[in-house]
């Protein structure tokens, strides 16, 4: 759903940029509360993982493919504010280095793919975990549903943005029907990836899953024939099946393998937005990307003729740059939180 330059006019693109900048500013403040000694090291890895999996387009219909958006996944793993930052880092790296998603449309893409998917996905997730039985399985089920709904929500958001600032005269009803229809199918793939990923992390380190906090089953005692909550006790430490370092290394290696090797076998069909844009004539005003001459444009390394090697190297570079950029941002936010929480000398 990366919107290229030219689909949305300049005033609306600028307005979306203001919205995106405001949301990022709010997220930077909110992420200070979310990023602790558990989530801070994981956040950069989540960004790199989303970058890697977004390279794995999967077929959803005849001549159409889809890929992970990642907003719901990031929000559940590291928190909604941090999730917005994770996806925004990915979009920034893709736009600058790989000419994927227009630079003038960066605000549109952040609003649509980072903000909408994260807000909708996390709202659905929190609503479900409140009504489902407490437990790890419920977290996975809620993650599946949240991701499923977040994708068509992003399709609706694009349609509304296009209705206000679209540069072509195409029926809004046709755009909405096509966008929502294909992205419901893409949402199924998003849900499967999100559910499997959240389930895998929660199986080995449930304490690292932001959305699973506070879901422990409360102990009940029978008093005078009635069940009441037992007095709160200090929680026992979570029995970790693997260390945080081992989980981080495993996640990074998985991301490198997905981007550097598995991506070669991804579907080459256009994704949902590309297909709809071509079929409905929305792409008639598309402009050449400002980073089209980048050595990594199109997810390939310039002057490397072997397609498999070129794409693999580009994927590995992308994962590396994203994990470094993301980790730097989240380390800085975490350090700011630590500084803000430090006691201030009164001079007395």
């Amino acid at each position: 759903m990366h919107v290229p330059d030219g689909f949305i006019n300049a005033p609306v693109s600028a307005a979306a940029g203001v919205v995106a900048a405001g949301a990022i500013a709010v997220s930077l403040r909110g992420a200070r509360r979310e990023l602790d000694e558990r989530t801070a090291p994981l956040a950069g890895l989540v960004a790199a993982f989303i970058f890697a999996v977004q390279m794995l387009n999967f077929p959803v219909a005849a001549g159409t493919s889809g890929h992970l958006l990642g907003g719901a996944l990031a929000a559940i793993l590291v928190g909604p504010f941090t999730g917005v930052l994770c996806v925004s880092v990915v979009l920034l790296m893709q736009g600058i280095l790989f000419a994927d998603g227009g630079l003038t449309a960066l605000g549109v893409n952040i609003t649509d793919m980072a903000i909408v998917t994260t807000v909708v996905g996390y709202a659905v997730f929190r609503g479900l975990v409140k009504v489902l039985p407490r437990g790890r399985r419920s977290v996975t089920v809620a993650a599946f549903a949240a991701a499923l709904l977040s994708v068509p929500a992003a399709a609706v958001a694009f349609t509304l943005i296009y209705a206000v600032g679209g540069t072509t005269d195409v029926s809004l009803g046709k755009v909405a029907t096509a966008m929502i229809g294909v992205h419901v199918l893409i949402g199924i793939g998003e849900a499967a990836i999100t559910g499997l990923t959240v389930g895998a992390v929660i199986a080995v380190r449930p304490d690292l899953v932001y959305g699973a906090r506070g879901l422990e089953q409360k102990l009940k005692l029978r008093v005078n024939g009635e069940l009441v909550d037992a007095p709160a006790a200090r929680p026992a430490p979570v029995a970790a099946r693997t260390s945080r370092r081992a989980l981080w290394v495993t996640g990074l290696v998985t991301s490198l393998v997905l981007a550097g090797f598995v991506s070669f076998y991804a579907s080459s069909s256009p994704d949902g937005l590309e297909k709809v844009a071509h079929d409905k004539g929305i792409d008639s005003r598309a402009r050449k990307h400002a980073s089209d001459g980048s050595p990594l444009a199109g997810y390939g390394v310039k002057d490397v003729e072997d397609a498999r090697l070129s794409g693999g190297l580009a994927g590995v570079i992308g994962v590396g740059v994203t994990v470094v950029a993301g980790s730097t941002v989240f380390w800085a936010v975490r350090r700011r939180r630590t500084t803000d929480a430090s006691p201030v000398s009164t001079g007395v």
Side-chain angles (χ1 to χ4, degrees), residues 84-156:
V84 169
L85 298 178
C86 281
V87 182
S88 297
V89 168
V90 173
L91 293 172
L92 185 62
M93 295 299 101
Q94 290 171 332
I96 294 176
L97 298 179
F98 298 91
D100 190 8
L103 294 183
T104 62
L106 184 60
V108 173
N109 285 319
I110 290 176
T111 300
D112 193 22
M113 296 177 65
I115 301 170
V116 171
T117 58
T118 300
V119 171
V120 172
Y122 196 70
V124 171
F125 175 80
R126 294 307 306 175
L128 288 174
V129 295
K130 288 181 179 180
V131 299
L132 292 173
R134 293 175 178 266
R136 299 179 185 178
R137 182 175 299 178
S138 295
V139 174
T140 303
V141 171
F144 182 96
L148 176 64
L149 294 176
S150 70
V151 178
V156 171

Side-chain angles (χ1 to χ4, degrees), residues 34-54:
E34 295 173 347
L35 291 170
D36 55 22
E37 67 279 357
R38 293 176 292 178
T39 55
L42 187 63
L45 177 61
V46 169
F49 181 77
I50 290 173
F51 174 91
V53 180
Q54 283 196 3

Side-chain angles (χ1 to χ4, degrees), residues 8-325:
I8 307 298
N9 63 32
V12 174
S13 294
V18 172
V19 171
I24 289 174
V26 171
S27 296
L28 285 169
R29 293 183 63 87
R32 294 182 201 171
R33 299 189 299 270
E34 295 173 347
L35 291 170
D36 55 22
E37 67 279 357
R38 293 176 292 178
T39 55
L42 187 63
L45 177 61
V46 169
F49 181 77
I50 290 173
F51 174 91
V53 180
Q54 283 196 3
M55 294 183 66
L56 308 180
N57 281 48
F58 48 84
V60 294
T64 309
S65 69
H67 63 70
L68 181 80
L69 299 185
L73 174 62
I76 294 165
L77 289 179
V78 292
F81 293 108
T82 308
V84 169
L85 298 178
C86 281
V87 182
S88 297
V89 168
V90 173
L91 293 172
L92 185 62
M93 295 299 101
Q94 290 171 332
I96 294 176
L97 298 179
F98 298 91
D100 190 8
L103 294 183
T104 62
L106 184 60
V108 173
N109 285 319
I110 290 176
T111 300
D112 193 22
M113 296 177 65
I115 301 170
V116 171
T117 58
T118 300
V119 171
V120 172
Y122 196 70
V124 171
F125 175 80
R126 294 307 306 175
L128 288 174
V129 295
K130 288 181 179 180
V131 299
L132 292 173
R134 293 175 178 266
R136 299 179 185 178
R137 182 175 299 178
S138 295
V139 174
T140 303
V141 171
F144 182 96
L148 176 64
L149 294 176
S150 70
V151 178
V156 171
F158 169 80
T159 303
L160 294 176
I161 293 172
Y162 173 80
V164 178
T167 55
T168 52
D169 186 17
V170 180
S171 167
L172 182 61
K174 292 181 179 179
V175 173
T177 300
M179 282 293 293
I180 295 171
V182 71
H183 284 91
V184 166
L185 299 177
I186 294 173
I188 298 174
E190 176 105 7
I193 295 170
T194 300
L196 289 171
T197 304
V198 171
V201 177
I202 207 171
V204 295
R205 287 301 299 262
D207 58 312
L208 297 183
V209 179
Y210 183 89
R213 296 181 183 180
L215 296 180
E216 297 84 0
Q217 184 69 46
K218 293 183 178 180
L219 179 64
K220 299 285 186 178
L221 296 177
R222 186 174 296 278
V223 179
N224 297 327
E226 296 183 0
L227 288 176
V228 297
D229 290 337
R234 185 172 182 177
V238 178
R241 298 185 183 181
T242 185
S243 67
R244 278 183 293 184
R245 178 177 295 180
L247 178 65
W248 197 92
V249 171
T250 301
L252 180 60
V253 171
T254 300
S255 300
L256 291 171
V257 170
L258 291 175
F261 177 73
V262 181
S263 62
F264 181 78
Y265 301 96
S267 173
S268 59
S269 298
D271 66 22
L273 176 58
E274 291 174 334
K275 179 66 172 175
V276 172
H278 177 74
D279 291 347
K280 305 302 180 184
I282 298 175
D283 61 356
S284 61
R285 296 290 184 88
R287 300 199 306 268
K288 186 177 180 180
H289 199 286
S291 298
D292 194 55
S294 166
L296 299 173
Y299 296 94
V301 177
K302 188 177 181 180
D303 297 330
V304 176
E305 297 182 359
D306 183 271
R308 185 191 299 268
L309 180 60
S310 177
L313 286 174
V316 168
I317 293 171
V319 168
V321 171
T322 303
V323 76
V324 170

